[in-house]
Amino acid sequence: MKKILPKNIAECIVIWEIRKIVLYTVYLIKALFRYKQISLLRDAVCCFPQWYKSIKRNNDPLNYDQPWVVYKAKQFLDKILHADMTVWEYGSGSSTLYFARRVKQVYSVEYDKLWFQRLQSLIEDRKILNVCYMLVEAEEPDEAEPDSIYISQSSGNTKNKSFETYVKKIDNIPDRSLDLILIDGRARSACIAHAKQKVKIGGRLVVDNSDRNYYFKGNEDLFDPDCWKPLHFTGPVPYSFEFSRTSFFQKQ
C-alpha cells in the first residue's frame, strides 16, 4: 500500500491499521489454500487480538512474554512446561525470557553478535540466573564439503556460511537429558540431527516453521510412530503477517 499512496497518507495511523487488517486477511486466504485446514478460520479469529497487539509500530518483541511460534503452539507450551524442566533452544529472543520464567534451566545458542549482546545485557539487568547463553557465530565453510548439512541456505549475510560449531554445541549435553528442545535458528536439519538423541523419553523436540520439508531431510525417523509422537499447530504467529506451522515430536 505504501507504494501506491503518498508517503504522508501511507504512514497515517488509520491507514496503517487498515493495512494490517487487510494483509492479515490476505495471508489467511493464502494459508487456507496452502494448508487446506478450515480450522485456520477459527484460529485466525481467536488469535487476532494477540496478533494485532504484536504487530504494532515500533514494537519490541523482548517486551513480551511470547516465543515466536504459532499462537496455538505457545498455548500448548504454557500447559506442558514446569519448574523442573531443562530446555535447549537454537535461536534466542523473547523465547529465552519466556522459558527462563517457567523452567529450571535454559541453554540458548545464538549466532548474531549484536542480538546476543542486546539480550545478554537484558538478562544481566534482570538478574536472570538460569540461562546459559552462548554466542557461536557463523564460520567460513570447508571448501571440500560444499553440500554439508551445516551450511546455511538462508538469505542475508549468513547465506552459505557454516554453522557446524553452532550446531555441535549440544553434543556436550548427555543423551536423553533434555525435556524440550526448540529449533528456531540456522542449519535446522543439522540441529535436528544432533538434537534428537538429547531428548529424554517423554520429552519433546519442537521445530518451528516445520512446513519447510527440507528441515527433515535425513531426519525422516521423526515420523516413525514407534519412536516419536507428532503434534502440529498451524496458524498465525506474532510479529509477522505470514501463517506458519510449529511441530512437536514427543520421544516414545
Side-chain angles (χ1 to χ4, degrees):
M1 189 170 289
K2 272 191 172 185
K3 293 181 179 180
I4 62 176
L5 292 174
K7 184 176 180 181
N8 61 330
I9 296 178
E11 294 183 352
C12 171
I13 293 178
V14 174
I15 297 298
W16 169 250
E17 298 305 319
I18 293 173
R19 175 179 178 271
K20 287 197 297 187
I21 296 171
V22 169
L23 286 175
Y24 187 79
T25 304
V26 168
Y27 279 99
L28 168 59
I29 294 170
K30 288 183 178 181
L32 287 168
F33 279 100
R34 179 179 184 184
Y35 299 108
K36 296 178 175 58
Q37 296 180 13
I38 196 66
S39 60
L40 280 174
L41 286 171
R42 178 201 62 212
D43 294 342
V45 172
C46 292
C47 298
F48 179 78
Q50 294 172 277
W51 174 86
Y52 190 79
K53 181 180 180 181
S54 79
I55 210 75
K56 67 183 181 181
R57 282 183 174 182
N58 303 317
N59 193 15
D60 184 353
L62 293 181
N63 289 333
Y64 294 89
D65 191 26
Q66 172 69 64
W68 295 16
V69 296
V70 172
Y71 282 106
K72 291 293 184 178
K74 189 265 185 183
Q75 292 173 13
F76 184 68
L77 282 171
D78 290 344
K79 294 178 182 178
I80 65 173
L81 294 178
H82 57 77
D84 294 327
M85 296 179 76
T86 301
V87 170
W88 179 287
E89 62 172 3
Y90 285 106
S92 64
S94 54
S95 60
T96 312
L97 306 176
Y98 169 83
F99 286 131
R101 283 189 284 270
R102 290 166 172 80
V103 305
K104 180 180 179 180
Q105 179 68 52
V106 180
Y107 295 93
S108 183
V109 186
E110 178 57 51
Y111 71 90
D112 186 308
K113 186 174 182 178
L114 293 179
W115 183 252
F116 174 87
Q117 291 172 339
R118 184 182 174 202
L119 183 56
Q120 177 66 26
S121 177
L122 194 153
I123 289 171
E124 292 173 355
D125 289 345
R126 295 186 182 180
K127 296 181 171 57
I128 298 172
L129 303 178
N130 63 335
V131 174
C132 177
Y133 196 26
M134 298 164 276
L135 173 66
V136 185
E137 297 182 89
E139 306 161 320
E140 290 300 323
D142 185 343
E143 293 183 3
E145 298 184 80
D147 298 321
S148 168
I149 62 171
Y150 305 108
I151 304 298
S152 174
Q153 302 302 318
S154 62
S155 59
N157 57 8
T158 63
K159 184 175 176 62
N160 296 325
K161 296 286 187 178
S162 173
F163 284 83
E164 184 170 359
T165 304
Y166 167 95
V167 168
K168 289 184 175 179
K169 266 294 181 180
I170 201 169
D171 291 353
N172 298 321
I173 298 292
D175 289 354
R176 297 189 176 186
S177 64
L178 298 173
D179 295 282
L180 186 141
I181 300 175
L182 173 60
I183 297 178
D184 194 17
R186 294 296 188 231
R188 295 189 197 186
S189 62
C191 290
I192 294 171
H194 282 258
K196 288 181 295 188
Q197 64 268 29
K198 305 303 178 180
V199 182
K200 64 174 57 174
I201 299 297
R204 291 175 173 87
L205 179 69
V206 186
V207 182
D208 197 27
N209 309 118
S210 57
D211 45 353
R212 302 171 186 172
N213 293 330
Y214 60 89
Y215 287 165
F216 300 100
K217 183 178 181 181
N219 296 302
E220 292 82 3
D221 56 312
L222 286 179
F223 300 96
D224 181 349
D226 293 330
C227 299
W228 300 87
K229 180 181 178 181
L231 180 61
H232 309 289
F233 296 95
T234 307
V237 296
Y239 322 114
S240 173
F241 291 102
E242 295 273 3
F243 283 55
S244 187
R245 176 172 289 159
T246 303
S247 295
F248 291 70
F249 297 91
Q250 186 175 28
K251 181 170 278 190
Q252 302 301 294

